[in-house]
Amino acid sequence: MEWLSAAAEEPTVCRAVWREDPRLPYLLPTGRLFDVVVVPQRVGLEVFDQLVRRQMPVGPVMTDRRAQQVGFFLNSDWRKSFEDFVCRETDSPPEYKYLDNDSYVVVPGPMPLAGDRYEWLRAPLRRPEANPQRPAALAVMLVAATDLVARVDHYGERYPTPAAVANRVLEEAGPDAQ
């Protein structure tokens, strides 16, 4: 957590707070050492799952359970790169907030417990390397996960229950299929 606390306006105070209680979240400015892409929780959990399963580059990732948001940490000054990758994937960009200069983010403490409001999905073990594939991977998976969640929601509107799906299939197959 040395590099993360270094982002604090008063790093020694941040480290002292975490030494006293490593569960406590802390407010850090973005834009100097890292930026954060914040997305809705349903989409963010799918993005994180796909990045990990596909062994794509992913840095630290946190969740705010009460706000139902997930934050993906990128190296600072990657806004343009990230936004370019998103625009290459779709004409209608998904919902996200890009936190860089003049923004702040509440980060989990180094040792949050399961069920805490702020938790690490992937804790920062050290300062993330500047891997230019990270913003590309995040952008591609953000667009794909947004489309997937939208399709699932549409499916739920079209087929409210599994029985409705089965009934429709049987109706389309005709009386001989039963």
Side-chain angles (χ1 to χ4, degrees), residues 43 81-96 136 138-148 150:
V43 171
S81 176
F82 175 77
E83 290 175 348
D84 287 349
F85 286 122
V86 169
C87 289
R88 287 182 201 164
E89 289 297 310
T90 183
D91 292 332
S92 55
E95 176 186 345
Y96 69 87
L138 178 58
V140 168
M141 282 304 142
L142 175 59
V143 171
T146 300
D147 288 346
L148 176 64

Side-chain angles (χ1 to χ4, degrees), residues 9 27-30 99-100 102-106:
E9 290 172 341
L27 182 68
L28 295 177
T30 57
L99 304 177
D100 55 0
D102 301 321
S103 295
Y104 288 83
V105 65
V106 176

